Each structure stands twice: as C-alpha cells, then as structure tokens.
Amino acid sequence: MNYDDNNIFAKILRGEIPCKKVYEDEFVLSFYDVNPRKKIHVLVIPKGKFVNLDHFNKNASDKEIVGLIKGITLVANKLGISFDKGEGYRTLSNIGLNGGQEVPHLHFHLFGGEKAGRMIG
Ligand code: 5GP
C-alpha cells in the first residue's frame, strides 16, 4: 500500500499547513477538524506514514500502536470529554472507499460535547 507524502495530514505533520493543535507527543498529533460535525470534533493521527488502520496494524511497531490507542484517551481527557473526565464521546476511523475515507493518512475522529446521535447516518 503506497503512502502519499502529499496528503493534507502529511503536510500538517511537516508543519507546511497550520492546524489548531490539541495535543502532541512522540507518537501522535491531535488537532481540531476544519469542518466540525459536532460541538467538539478533533482528529488524532499517528506520526508515522500509515494510510489507514489496516495498514497501521500490519506495519506499525507495538510502541506506535500503543501510543496511538492511548493517545485517543489522552486527548479525550485533555478535552474533558472522556469517560473519566466528561460525558463520553464517539471515536471512529474511516477506512478506504466503503469506509468513506477522504484523507489517506490514518486518523481517528473524536466527536464530543453533545450526543453523537445515530451510529450510521
Ligand atoms: P475522513 O473522511 O478521511 O475520515 O475525514 C477527513 C477529515 O479531515 C474530514 O472530517 C475533514 O473535515 C478533515 N480535514 C480535511 N482537510 C483538513 C485540513 O486541512 N485541516 C483540518 N484540520 N482538517 C481537515
């Protein structure tokens, strides 16, 4: 699976395009979605070059996998929407054509601040 170095999130990771940053560590970057679908809508992405979740699980190191999964809760805690610190949220990752993925760099959406609504619209 080829990773496109010119995808928009690769440019954000390289600092070529600005983002409204929420959190960053060795493994992940999190920033607000430019087109929010809920009161709080942020994205969490791995720093490595991974196209989608399947590509990630096949190629990422265990450290990277743990870093991304834990990063989701770190971000949710920071935003005050986690199970522990808030009222919960929805996370989802679109994968490929049928998943409706637009940006070919793995990302998890976090929707919070209000009820997420129907699971599939
Ligand atoms: P996908 O459909 O690939 O799961 O979601 C891609 C998401 O990236 C969309 O929700 C879209 O609004 C968001 N997005 C696309 N371009 C940009 C950008 O340049 N900056 C930010 N912050 N979000 C973006």
Side-chain angles (χ1 to χ4, degrees):
M1 198 176 298
N2 287 332
Y3 179 83
D4 172 11
D5 273 311
N6 285 320
N7 79 74
I8 201 92
F9 294 169
K11 291 180 181 176
I12 286 175
L13 278 168
R14 290 196 297 268
E16 293 166 13
I17 288 180
C19 69
K20 200 172 158 203
K21 193 191 292 185
V22 174
Y23 176 80
E24 181 171 15
D25 64 23
E26 186 185 346
F27 298 108
V28 300
L29 176 66
S30 173
F31 49 92
Y32 286 91
D33 195 291
V34 78
N35 179 24
R37 269 57 149 229
K38 290 291 168 194
K39 268 189 194 157
I40 298 174
H41 182 180
V42 307
L43 302 167
V44 179
I45 71 174
K47 288 202 163 165
K49 298 181 179 186
F50 302 107
V51 177
N52 59 41
L53 185 63
D54 294 347
H55 185 233
F56 180 70
N57 280 327
K58 196 170 165 190
N59 295 290
S61 68
D62 288 355
K63 274 188 166 184
E64 287 173 307
I65 292 171
V66 170
L68 176 60
I69 292 298
K70 285 188 176 271
I72 292 170
T73 294
L74 283 172
V75 169
N77 278 334
K78 188 157 187 204
L79 292 167
I81 62 173
S82 66
F83 188 73
D84 282 344
K85 299 202 187 289
E87 297 186 351
Y89 62 102
R90 175 172 294 162
T91 184
L92 72 82
S93 185
N94 295 321
I95 299 161
L97 189 64
N98 279 1
Q101 183 177 6
E102 288 171 10
V103 178
H105 181 111
L106 171 60
H107 50 281
F108 280 86
H109 297 259
L110 274 63
F111 302 103
E114 61 183 320
K115 288 232 164 73
R118 287 177 52 172
M119 192 153 72
I120 298 271

